[in-house]
């Protein structure tokens, strides 16, 4: 299973293309044909979990749909696993934390068929992938109007197509990226919420805290404590 902490890239798994970022991961199986492209120009930081099919098979998404929607719970479990491994833990605790992480993997969401022409569907998918790459490249302070200019369409068309393709609003997706970016910075030791709010385009520290809590169920200060370097035996 591949999970992204920051950055983003295009993955082709057995002919199926999926833009992979901190909001979307995927599962590879033995024999899969994989290729990568990097439409975004930022550095990618990812975690690859090598999971035995015989042990974890029941917890993994089906082979026909390898995409893993990365919820806030899954993202936080992933980051806590990385933090614990950096601190130094034994194989038993690693296995326990991996099992906990997998219990947070949601059932893949399948969007309803729209009846649109295949060429239109492909064009809309390319537009959404381009938009995600632009957002990954940043800055996440970009306005909707400027984002539309960068991908070559009106803000209204972009918002409508993004929702049709992904099942979520563009603002919700952008907020997920901002929350993931804040979590990554907190894990790296950044402590000033006021500075992080300005960096990622929140109105102020209170706005950052409110959005962060809406997406994760946790205050930034609590997540900062969770992701601090810790010794073996820390509670999951």
């Amino acid at each position: 299973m591949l999970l992204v902490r920051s950055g983003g890239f295009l993955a082709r798994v057995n002919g199926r293309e999926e833009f992979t970022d901190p909001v979307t991961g995927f599962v590879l199986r033995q024999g899969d044909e994989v290729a990568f492209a990097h439409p975004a120009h930022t550095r990618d930081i990812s975690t690859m979990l090598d999971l035995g099919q015989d042990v974890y098979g029941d917890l993994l998404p089906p082979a026909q749909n390898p995409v893993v929607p990365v919820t806030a719970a899954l993202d936080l479990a992933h980051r806590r696993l990385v933090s614990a491994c950096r601190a130094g833990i034994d194989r038993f605790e690693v296995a326990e934390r991996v099992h906990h992480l997998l219990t947070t993997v949601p059932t893949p969401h399948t969007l309803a068929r729209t009846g649109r022409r295949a060429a239109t569907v492909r064009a809309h998918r390319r537009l959404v992938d381009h938009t995600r790459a632009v957002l990954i490249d940043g800055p996440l302070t970009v306005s909707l109007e400027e984002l539309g200019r960068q991908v070559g369409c009106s803000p209204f068309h972009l918002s409508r197509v993004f929702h049709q393709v992904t099942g979520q609003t563009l603002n919700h997706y952008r907020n997920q990226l901002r929350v993931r970016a804040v979590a990554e910075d907190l894990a790296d030791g950044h402590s000033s919420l006021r500075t992080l709010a300005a960096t990622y385009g929140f109105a102020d520290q209170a706005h950052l805290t409110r959005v962060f809590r809406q997406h994760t169920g946790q205050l930034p200060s609590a997540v900062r404590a969770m992701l601090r370097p810790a010794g073996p035996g820390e509670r999951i």
Side-chain angles (χ1 to χ4, degrees):
M1 177 183 292
L2 191 147
L3 298 171
V4 179
R5 300 204 301 278
S6 66
F9 52 89
L10 191 65
R12 180 183 296 133
V13 183
N14 297 328
R16 170 176 175 160
E17 289 188 349
E18 186 69 37
F19 193 89
T20 306
D21 57 21
V23 180
T24 308
F26 64 88
V27 170
L28 297 174
R29 287 175 168 80
Q30 188 173 5
D32 283 348
E33 295 183 1
V34 186
F36 300 101
H38 293 80
H41 303 294
T42 57
R43 184 178 63 155
D44 306 318
I45 304 176
S46 306
T47 303
M48 180 71 80
L49 299 176
D50 188 0
L51 306 171
Q53 181 68 27
D54 54 336
V55 178
Y56 298 105
D58 292 342
L59 297 174
L60 297 176
Q64 62 270 24
N65 187 1
V67 176
V68 178
V70 180
T71 62
L74 174 55
D75 181 70
L76 184 55
H78 167 210
R79 294 179 190 280
R80 295 189 70 184
L81 171 63
V82 171
S83 178
C85 288
R86 284 174 173 170
I89 56 177
D90 59 29
R91 294 182 64 181
F92 186 97
E93 187 173 352
V94 170
E96 187 176 43
R97 285 179 176 271
V98 168
H99 188 275
H100 170 72
L101 180 150
L102 292 174
T103 63
T104 68
V105 174
T107 302
H109 176 64
T110 302
L111 299 177
R113 295 183 180 276
T114 62
R116 290 172 292 155
R117 292 187 306 164
T120 301
V121 171
R122 288 194 297 270
H124 285 179
R125 183 63 178 268
R126 286 195 298 270
L127 174 61
V128 168
D129 286 349
H130 186 193
T131 301
R132 293 168 72 178
V134 169
L135 283 171
I136 289 293
D137 272 341
L140 289 170
T141 55
V142 66
S143 68
L144 180 58
E145 291 74 16
E146 176 59 26
L147 185 59
R149 283 193 290 271
Q150 290 190 44
V151 300
C153 68
S154 72
F156 173 77
H157 179 71
L158 177 59
S159 294
R160 181 173 57 84
V161 169
F162 195 94
H163 189 269
Q164 285 178 346
V165 172
T166 68
Q168 62 181 311
T169 67
L170 187 50
N171 182 62
H172 182 81
Y173 173 76
R174 173 174 170 265
N175 276 342
Q176 289 185 87
L177 290 183
R178 294 200 291 176
V179 167
R180 304 297 198 275
V182 169
E184 180 71 6
D185 283 351
L186 291 175
D188 285 342
H190 296 275
S191 59
S192 173
L193 296 182
R194 180 179 300 176
T195 300
L196 292 175
T199 299
Y200 295 111
F202 293 96
D204 50 30
Q205 180 177 330
H207 182 215
L208 181 156
T209 299
R210 184 169 66 253
V211 173
F212 195 95
R213 190 170 189 176
Q214 286 173 348
H215 281 262
T216 69
Q218 303 280 350
L219 292 172
S221 56
V223 170
R224 180 172 54 207
M226 290 178 189
L227 299 180
R228 74 186 189 283
E234 181 195 16
R235 293 178 61 190
I236 295 175

